[in-house]
Amino acid sequence: MEDSWKKQIIPLLPLHLQPLFASLTGHLGQSLEEIRFRSGQPLILHTDWGEVMLGPDGPVNVQQKAYYTTADDLQNIVLQMTEYSLYARDEELKRGYLALPGGHRAGFAGRVVMEENRVKLLRDISSINIRIARQIKGAGLPLLPHVYCEKLQRVRHTLIVSPPQAGKTTMLRDLARILSDGDAAEKRPGFKVGIVDERSEIAGCFRGKPQLDVGCRSDVLDGCPKGEGLMMLVRSMSPQVVVTDELGRAEDARAVEEAVNTGASVLATAHGQNLKELIRRPSLAYLLENGIFERIIFLSRRKGPGTIEGIYSGDFIQEWLRTGGKEDVDKMVGSSLNNYS
Amino acid sequence: MWIKWLGAALIITASMIWGNFQAEKLRERTRQLEEFRLALRLLAAEIGYTATPLPRALSLVAERLTLREVQNFFSLIGQELQQSTGIDAATAWLKAAQTARHYLYLTPRDWTVLSRAAAGLGTLGREDQLKQLAAAEAQLASHAADAAEKCASGEKMWRYLGALCGMAVVILLL
């Protein structure tokens, strides 16, 4: 993977840290996933093979030699990311993140100021996590036969489930791209794809423009709540496929159900490790019980991000839930569709 | 003899120029204060309606102003922020103020208000930012009214004073 993140991220860092990050080359630069700044704590880089502390002269093994982030560094980074204008990005900051050029994102933690039981603003920021966006074209291809029904030339309602950082958004983005672009050689038509990108993670929009390739027939509704966004897209853009990230709330489930009823196929993700964990969340349990999703795909990081752990049909899950959902689902005969589409 | 008259004419002209300059300073201060008020209102509109980030908002404000000196002030801050030199908006504002002091006819009291407008610039939420700009604009309005009053009474006075001082010197010398 290339380290093009440098062009977009380095100018946002304090001047004295810029040469340090510019010198990150080779494997470390290419496998970087997160840059963690915590006030008064060592500067830590997370890669797909582990974590590394960064010292004034480069990576270090001993904590004492690491560069310790200061409050001024954090303030400086926030100001650079907001173009010295917190007011311009305060809606995003309230939600705890900022979309950055290149599809990257910065997450924040600090003191939350509440007003009428809602987050009014985030101030005294004490931690910043810069997440490097890596678009892996082709990542979704192994899932395509399960998601796309060649016989009927339609996309199945699909839920991709994984714990954080196991590649579900990468898969979702790539599936959106593949379905949107189509493939004339394989006689797969391109679909009109509507993406509701509540947290700018799928298309990595910066100032409304997708920074990551989500296909030529995709329309992105950036920063919009899923519930409202799905219906807005269905009404205004006539999508054949609607794509959204991280279902969980009751209104998300209602919007998915409505979108399905309009005839659009739904591709979505949810946080979770396994089926039992998934059905503990009422809104997701409701969708599964009612057979809304035709395919449920589980991913993990076991063999690297995007490891496919199991693919289940919606009918099977419905049946399993009808029997009380107590049996170990993975031991049931024919439970997983891993080996056939 | 004609040299004496020439000298006298020169003294009176210089003195009138000095008087006119003093009168001009009064009038310019009023115009500059009004222009700063307009600039703060434009900046508030950029922040309030379109949430334009400061580097762009300041450049847009500068483009819409007519007094070149005030225009330069806002352009300077905008450019400083666009260059991403690591200094925040308030510091860039104060730095531009240091430069502008040399060519603007504002008083230290006016600069105090403008410096206060810079405090927290870009680091506040939208509502607080607008309140801060509105407060500075209101204070500048009172300064502008005061300056206009001084200008009305002082402008003629300085002009006459210039001419009269010149004549007085000439009489004394002759």
Side-chain angles (χ1 to χ4, degrees), chain A residues 11 15 18 75-76 79-80 82-91 120-121 207, chain B residues 47 51-55 81 84-89 121-126 129:
Chain A
L15 289 175
Q18 290 187 4
Q75 165 93 352
N76 197 309
L79 285 177
Q80 291 274 9
T82 57
E83 294 180 81
Y84 307 95
S85 320
L86 288 191
Y87 60 82
R89 311 287 298 272
D90 57 0
E91 280 304 318
K120 188 188 174 203
L121 80 144
R207 292 179 183 156
Chain B
I47 292 171
T52 315
L54 277 176
L81 294 181
S84 298
T85 49
I87 66 167
D88 60 22
L121 187 66
T123 59
L124 302 171
R126 197 187 305 200
Q129 195 74 83

Side-chain angles (χ1 to χ4, degrees), chain A residues 42-333:
Chain A
L43 173 50
I44 298 177
L45 308 178
H46 286 261
T47 66
D48 57 9
W49 44 267
E51 65 167 48
V52 173
M53 285 184 197
L54 207 54
D57 302 314
V60 291
N61 301 321
V62 191
Q63 191 173 328
Q64 285 73 17
K65 288 183 184 171
Y67 175 81
Y68 278 71
T69 306
T70 65
D72 280 349
D73 291 338
L74 295 174
Q75 165 93 352
N76 197 309
I77 294 170
V78 176
L79 285 177
Q80 291 274 9
M81 285 177 177
T82 57
E83 294 180 81
Y84 307 95
S85 320
L86 288 191
Y87 60 82
R89 311 287 298 272
D90 57 0
E91 280 304 318
E92 283 171 272
L93 274 173
K94 268 185 216 172
R95 286 182 246 160
Y97 72 90
L98 282 178
L100 304 175
H104 312 294
R105 284 160 54 86
F108 300 90
R111 194 159 70 83
V112 171
V113 180
M114 301 291 287
E115 192 178 77
E116 292 171 9
N117 286 333
R118 298 187 70 174
V119 177
K120 188 188 174 203
L121 80 144
L122 188 64
R123 57 184 304 174
D124 303 332
I125 287 168
S126 54
S127 302
I128 299 177
N129 173 24
I130 300 176
R131 290 180 71 172
I132 309 293
R134 304 259 186 214
Q135 178 157 28
I136 306 167
K137 290 191 178 177
L141 282 173
L143 296 182
L144 190 63
H146 303 279
V147 173
Y148 173 63
C149 175
E150 205 175 315
K151 198 171 154 191
L152 299 173
Q153 291 209 329
R154 66 173 284 273
V155 178
R156 294 183 178 108
H157 305 302
T158 306
L159 181 68
I160 303 172
V161 187
S162 86
Q165 295 222 294
K168 60 183 173 303
T169 306
T170 306
M171 289 285 194
L172 186 72
R173 182 188 305 123
D174 203 48
L175 281 171
R177 180 189 65 82
I178 294 167
L179 294 169
S180 172
D181 284 342
D183 190 337
E186 288 189 14
K187 293 185 182 163
R188 181 163 35 79
F191 291 93
K192 288 183 283 177
V193 176
I195 301 174
V196 184
D197 201 359
E198 186 168 349
R199 303 199 299 162
S200 310
E201 278 186 308
I202 306 172
C205 283
F206 183 68
R207 292 179 183 156
K209 192 179 169 201
Q211 305 283 300
L212 302 167
D213 185 1
V214 284
C216 63
R217 293 178 187 85
S218 295
D219 307 301
V220 184
L221 208 49
D222 183 49
C224 183
K226 286 180 277 287
E228 283 172 61
L230 284 173
M231 292 326 293
M232 274 169 76
L233 273 182
V234 166
R235 285 189 210 113
S236 59
M237 303 306 283
S238 67
Q240 293 166 294
V241 182
V242 286
V243 174
T244 193
D245 215 3
E246 293 176 17
L247 298 181
R249 292 170 299 189
E251 57 265 34
D252 301 344
R254 276 196 298 274
V256 165
E257 198 176 11
E258 278 197 57
V260 167
N261 290 337
T262 63
S265 301
V266 176
L267 267 183
T269 66
H271 276 302
Q273 303 257 17
N274 50 45
L275 262 174
K276 286 198 171 166
E277 208 176 290
L278 207 59
I279 58 164
R280 267 188 233 128
R281 298 166 75 182
S283 54
L284 293 174
Y286 172 80
L287 291 173
L288 295 177
E289 275 163 13
N290 286 282
I292 301 290
F293 288 109
E294 295 166 275
R295 291 289 181 271
I296 296 97
I297 299 168
F298 285 89
L299 305 177
S300 77
R301 278 183 79 102
R302 199 164 45 87
K303 293 177 190 167
T307 306
I308 301 170
E309 292 291 346
I311 300 171
Y312 304 95
S313 83
D315 293 341
F316 172 79
I317 299 294
Q318 253 186 312
E319 191 54 41
W320 176 69
L321 285 168
R322 251 182 235 126
T323 59
K326 283 176 188 154
E327 204 171 337
D328 187 346
V329 74
D330 292 324
K331 286 182 184 160
M332 288 167 73
V333 178

